[in-house]
């Protein structure tokens, strides 16, 4: 029902705008989106939003092409290459997550210089948009989200937290970990990072073993926070393997069905939601409206989070996950 209502509302808006501003461009908007691997549960939800918005784009004769790296081991350079692949297609707009600005910014600037409209989403924040000349940023403020998570831990009695980062060096994950540390520090707590190679992202065995080893070496750790939902499940297993499920509390950025089930049964403390569905949906719709009608929003950035999901609101959240939109 939720998904149908969004599509219906979007289509109604297109009909209304067509009457007010004339027909869309003759061939519609050609949009390229650079995002994460679809095997990654987070990005599958982003893509659900992209696909719903693409229905509007395609109804006007346009297209949306989704490009993703094969893995996350050389994320910044690979993302820059994908932007350049997008440029070679001469699209009207490119939507890109600015994970590693020093690697991606030149490619983004090249796109803008070629007359392509660019929207930064998911990673990089408004500063990335300002630095490159992109239209805006759509997503969560990763540092603010981290601070919220750190404060949640500390105000719930968890004063020493390990941040599991399987994408070290990426702007968004580093901001998350720093935010957690700063949020903890506000209440007298501490947090240190456990950096792991990019090849460990989504690798259940590697993450579980890494978390288990870290916990057994540092008996004062009271909490673990992960930068992704897949790593949260792996970390839960690592905590269990260390025999510390009754003492070490788990939190995660982002969420999925298993994570919410853990919150429901009390084995995970919280998840930080950035509403990835909206990141995909709004990015495509904004680019499409700008290309076709010159429409832009004065609200910059457009924030989709953060929000804390815990035992107090878990039931209301589960329905969205089952629909593939949370």
């Amino acid at each position: 029902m939720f998904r149908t209502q969004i599509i219906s509302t979007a289509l109604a808006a297109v009909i209304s705008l067509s009457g007010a501003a004339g027909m869309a461009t003759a061939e519609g908007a050609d949009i390229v989106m650079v995002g994460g691997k679809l095997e990654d549960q987070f990005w599958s939800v982003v893509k659900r939003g992209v696909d719903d918005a693409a229905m509007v784009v395609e109804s006007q004769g346009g297209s949306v092409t989704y490009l993703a790296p094969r893995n996350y081991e050389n994320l910044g350079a690979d993302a820059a290459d994908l932007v350049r692949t997008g440029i070679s297609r001469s699209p009207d707009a490119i939507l890109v997550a600015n994970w590693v600005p020093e690697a991606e910014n030149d490619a983004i600037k090249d796109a803008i210089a070629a007359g392509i409209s660019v929207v930064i989403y998911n990673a990089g924040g408004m500063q990335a948009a300002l630095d490159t000349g992109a239209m805006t940023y759509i997503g969560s403020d990763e540092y603010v989200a981290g601070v919220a998570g750190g404060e949640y831990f500390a105000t719930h009695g968890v004063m020493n937290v390990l941040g599991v980062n399987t994408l070290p060096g990426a702007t968004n994950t580093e901001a998350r970990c720093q935010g957690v540390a700063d949020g903890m520090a506000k209440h007298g707590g501490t947090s240190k990072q456990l950096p792991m190679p990019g090849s460990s992202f989504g690798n259940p065995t590697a993450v579980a073993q890494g978390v288990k080893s870290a916990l057994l070496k540092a008996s004062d750790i009271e909490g673990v926070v992960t930068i992704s939902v897949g790593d949260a499940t792996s970390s839960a297993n690592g905590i269990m393997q260390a025999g510390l499920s009754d003492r070490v509390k788990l939190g995660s950025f982002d969420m999925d069905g298993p994570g919410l089930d853990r919150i429901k049964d009390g084995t995970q403390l919280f998840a930080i939601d950035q509403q990835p569905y909206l990141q995909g949906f709004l990015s495509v719709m904004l680019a499409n409206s700008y290309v076709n009608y010159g429409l832009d929003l004065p609200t910059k950035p457009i924030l989709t989070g953060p929000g804390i999901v815990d035992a107090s609101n878990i039931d209301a959240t589960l329905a969205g996950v089952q629909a593939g939109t949370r």
Side-chain angles (χ1 to χ4, degrees):
M1 178 65 73
F2 174 70
R3 184 181 185 216
T4 302
Q5 288 174 341
I6 287 179
I7 297 171
S8 298
T9 301
L11 287 170
V14 169
I15 294 170
S16 174
L17 289 170
S18 297
M23 295 181 64
T25 54
E27 298 180 354
D30 182 10
I31 299 169
V32 171
M33 172 172 269
V34 176
K37 300 191 305 176
L38 297 183
E39 295 86 354
D40 180 340
Q41 290 176 317
F42 174 88
W43 285 98
S44 70
V45 178
V46 174
K47 185 61 161 51
R48 179 72 173 267
V50 172
D51 290 344
D52 284 354
M55 294 173 64
V56 176
V57 178
E58 292 164 2
S59 74
Q60 299 173 340
S63 66
V64 179
T65 302
Y66 188 92
L67 304 177
R70 293 182 180 179
N71 56 56
Y72 294 145
E73 294 182 25
N74 196 25
L75 187 58
D78 288 347
D81 288 343
L82 290 174
V83 171
R84 293 192 171 92
T85 297
I87 294 172
S88 71
R89 297 169 178 255
S90 300
D92 298 297
I94 291 178
L95 319 176
V96 57
N98 196 342
W99 293 296
V100 187
E102 58 268 28
E104 297 178 56
N105 280 0
D106 286 346
I108 292 171
K109 291 176 181 178
D110 288 345
I112 294 170
I116 300 169
S117 300
V118 174
V119 172
I120 306 291
Y121 77 102
N122 177 255
M126 192 62 203
Q127 190 59 51
L130 295 173
D131 290 344
T132 58
M135 290 174 57
T136 191
Y137 170 72
I138 299 176
S140 180
D141 185 310
E142 304 290 10
Y143 176 77
V144 172
V147 170
E151 289 197 279
Y152 189 94
F153 267 129
T155 56
H156 287 75
V158 181
M159 303 303 291
N160 189 342
V161 169
L162 181 70
V164 181
N165 188 355
T166 50
L167 291 175
T171 301
N172 57 335
T173 62
E174 293 292 342
R176 289 177 173 187
C177 292
Q178 186 61 54
V180 169
D182 291 349
M184 296 285 298
K186 286 184 178 183
H187 300 273
T190 61
S191 177
K192 64 180 180 180
Q193 188 178 145
L194 174 64
M196 301 184 70
S199 58
S200 65
F201 183 93
N203 184 325
T205 301
V207 174
Q209 288 299 315
V211 170
K212 174 185 175 181
S213 177
L215 292 177
L216 292 177
K217 290 177 181 177
S219 60
D220 58 339
I221 295 175
E222 300 172 333
V224 171
V225 63
T226 68
I227 56 95
S228 75
V229 291
D231 292 340
T233 295
S234 304
S235 294
N237 290 335
I239 294 170
M240 179 181 65
Q241 291 169 18
L244 297 171
S245 298
D246 60 338
R247 184 173 67 80
V248 175
K249 305 301 181 183
L250 177 64
S252 73
F253 285 85
D254 307 323
M255 60 191 190
D256 62 358
L260 293 178
D261 288 342
R262 288 192 297 271
I263 294 174
K264 179 77 171 177
D265 66 26
T267 57
Q268 180 167 328
L269 191 59
F270 69 93
I272 304 171
D273 185 20
Q274 60 173 301
Q275 301 188 108
Y277 176 93
L278 286 180
Q279 293 180 17
F281 185 86
L282 294 176
S283 295
V284 172
M285 288 303 299
L286 178 64
N288 185 65
S289 297
Y290 182 77
V291 169
N292 285 340
Y293 308 110
L295 294 173
D296 194 5
L297 293 177
T299 302
K300 299 178 188 290
I302 301 171
L303 296 182
T304 62
I308 298 289
V309 176
D310 62 8
S312 69
N313 57 9
I314 185 63
D315 290 333
T317 306
L318 285 169
V321 174
Q322 292 171 355
T325 57
R326 293 293 298 272

